[in-house]
Amino acid sequence: MILSCPLPKLDFDTINLGHGSGGTLTSQLLDAGVFKLLENELLNKKHDGAIFNLDGKVAMSTDTYVVSPIFFEGGNIGDLAINGTINDLAMCGAAAKYLTLGFVLEEGLKMTEFWEILLSIKAACDAAGVNIVTGDTKVVERGKGDKIFINTTGIGTVHPKANIDAENIKAGDKIILSGPLARHGITIMSHRQGLQFESTISSDTRPLNKIILSLLDEFGENIHFLRDPTRGGLATVLNEIAAGAKLGIDIAQKNMSVEEEVAGACEMLGLDPMYVANEGLFVAVVDATVAENILSRLNEWEHGEMARIIGETTTDHPRQVIMKSLIGGRRVVNMLPGEQLPRIC
């Protein structure tokens, strides 16, 4: 229903510098578009900020999105910006409640494109159960913004059973990956390179808050650490975990899921799936006593069929990640040394 909502009738069809002036054009853009579509009790006040109450411990996260292209299979920069911040809060064990929304628009952006992005923002907020409560819009000259950049900041309450901290990780903990690797990064790269495949590879952008909160309800403090492997991919996240916990990590390549077409695209582009960005996955470091139960619960989730236990922490080789290959060899998996895929999110 939301995604079929028509573009309001406006006196302009592209963004111009006046839409960032704070005057009449700004009001027309926000009143007919942003405020009307995203309306809620707090946003409707149209104040400089939002005033609200939250009970208990809270978490806060912010992120800025500059992905290119802004539209891709499975999503666009709008839902990516909402899901990304919701997921960062979920990795803290928190349920996102309120978000801010900041736009940097380039002069010349088509209103049809901006409206489609707004619709996806609305749909993503509805799916995750969050509200946009305040925001900002700026416009830059043509050629200085690449259509649109988005910043979102989120705040939410921490689950009462959550205790997500690298210091809680201990030797023998199991490491669970929630699904197949590299879909988002390969989707973006395929667009840039003009690659086509027999079936469509699409981004895995999605909110993770509901599955994380469900797992915390059931397993609580047995979930020691959570992280979503976005920029830098799985390899970088595992190295960060090993460094933070001051432990080694052993993983098995055979247990890591990569869809066939994604693996083929990675090979064609010379990319290692372990370093490619993901937007709908998480890594969980959990107590070994509940690992199989958590995996069973994940496999029942609509996006968790390919979830696997991929390894464990160890006192051997502290701060290093060692992978056992498909042919039985062992190699060190290092952190991503530079920028593999620029502007992936």
Side-chain angles (χ1 to χ4, degrees):
M1 293 289 291
I2 289 293
L3 292 177
S4 63
C5 189
L7 174 67
K9 187 175 181 179
L10 299 167
D11 296 332
F12 48 87
D13 56 11
T14 61
I15 296 294
N16 63 58
L17 291 174
H19 289 115
S21 68
T24 301
L25 283 176
T26 302
S27 295
Q28 289 178 354
L29 175 68
L30 298 181
D31 288 344
V34 178
F35 289 135
K36 183 65 176 176
L37 186 64
L38 302 177
E39 63 178 348
N40 59 71
E41 182 180 357
L42 292 175
L43 187 63
N44 290 349
K45 294 183 182 296
K46 301 179 183 179
H47 196 38
D48 285 346
I51 301 170
F52 49 81
N53 293 316
L54 287 176
D55 296 327
K57 187 184 293 186
V58 299
M60 187 176 185
S61 182
T62 191
D63 210 340
T64 302
Y65 298 84
V66 298
V67 65
S68 177
I70 60 174
F71 297 100
F72 45 84
E73 293 294 337
N76 62 54
I77 192 173
D79 51 23
L80 187 70
I82 300 303
N83 292 337
T85 294
I86 288 169
N87 292 347
D88 286 345
L89 287 171
M91 297 305 105
C92 300
K97 188 170 180 62
Y98 299 125
L99 297 181
T100 70
L101 179 63
F103 294 116
V104 177
L105 308 178
E106 183 187 16
E107 179 187 17
L109 174 68
K110 295 178 182 178
M111 274 304 302
T112 52
E113 292 181 316
F114 186 46
W115 185 246
E116 185 174 347
I117 289 167
L118 285 174
L119 290 174
S120 70
I121 286 172
K122 171 63 173 172
C125 286
D126 288 349
V130 302
N131 284 322
I132 304 293
V133 295
T134 190
D136 185 47
T137 302
K138 296 292 193 297
V139 180
V140 297
E141 297 93 331
R142 191 184 302 269
K144 295 187 177 180
D146 204 0
K147 293 191 174 182
I148 181 172
F149 300 148
I150 300 177
N151 173 271
T152 51
T153 297
I155 190 167
T157 54
V158 177
H159 192 288
K161 293 183 179 180
N163 185 16
I164 310 301
D165 194 315
E167 293 182 357
N168 296 329
I169 300 172
K170 62 182 188 298
D173 280 355
K174 300 296 183 181
I175 299 170
I176 298 175
L177 179 65
S178 68
L181 288 168
R183 281 179 53 188
H184 177 73
I186 290 302
T187 298
I188 300 301
M189 201 63 179
S190 297
H191 272 269
R192 293 180 189 168
Q193 299 295 326
L195 300 179
Q196 294 184 344
F197 304 95
E198 289 183 6
S199 63
T200 301
I201 298 175
S202 62
S203 171
D204 59 351
T205 177
R206 66 175 68 95
L208 298 171
N209 55 333
K210 293 180 180 179
I211 182 61
I212 292 297
L213 295 175
S214 174
L215 292 173
L216 286 169
D217 281 339
E218 190 169 351
F219 301 103
E221 292 190 1
N222 285 313
I223 299 173
H224 296 158
F225 194 73
L226 296 165
R227 182 66 62 85
D228 55 340
T230 53
R231 290 173 296 168
L234 176 64
T236 296
V237 163
L238 292 178
N239 273 278
E240 289 172 347
I241 292 171
K246 301 179 178 62
L247 291 168
I249 291 178
D250 288 321
I251 56 174
Q253 186 178 11
K254 67 178 183 179
N255 294 337
M256 288 182 285
S257 302
V258 183
E259 292 163 320
E260 184 176 350
E261 286 207 332
V262 172
C266 285
E267 186 173 353
M268 184 184 306
L269 295 167
L271 301 174
D272 184 336
M274 289 192 65
Y275 292 95
V276 178
N278 313 273
E279 288 293 341
L281 293 186
F282 64 90
V283 174
V285 184
V286 305
D287 194 281
T289 60
V290 298
E292 291 293 342
N293 292 334
I294 291 176
L295 181 61
S296 296
R297 176 69 181 83
L298 270 176
N299 291 151
E300 295 169 358
W301 177 45
E302 60 179 320
H303 303 296
E305 181 182 358
M306 299 176 74
R308 299 288 186 272
I309 296 173
I310 62 169
E312 64 180 9
T313 56
T314 176
T315 54
D316 298 336
H317 53 83
R319 302 175 188 267
Q320 276 193 325
V321 180
I322 305 293
M323 182 172 72
K324 184 178 180 180
S325 71
L326 294 175
I327 59 174
R330 289 165 62 84
R331 70 174 178 89
V332 175
V333 177
N334 292 312
M335 187 176 289
L336 181 67
E339 182 64 86
Q340 185 186 52
L341 298 173
R343 295 184 58 186
I344 207 73
C345 61

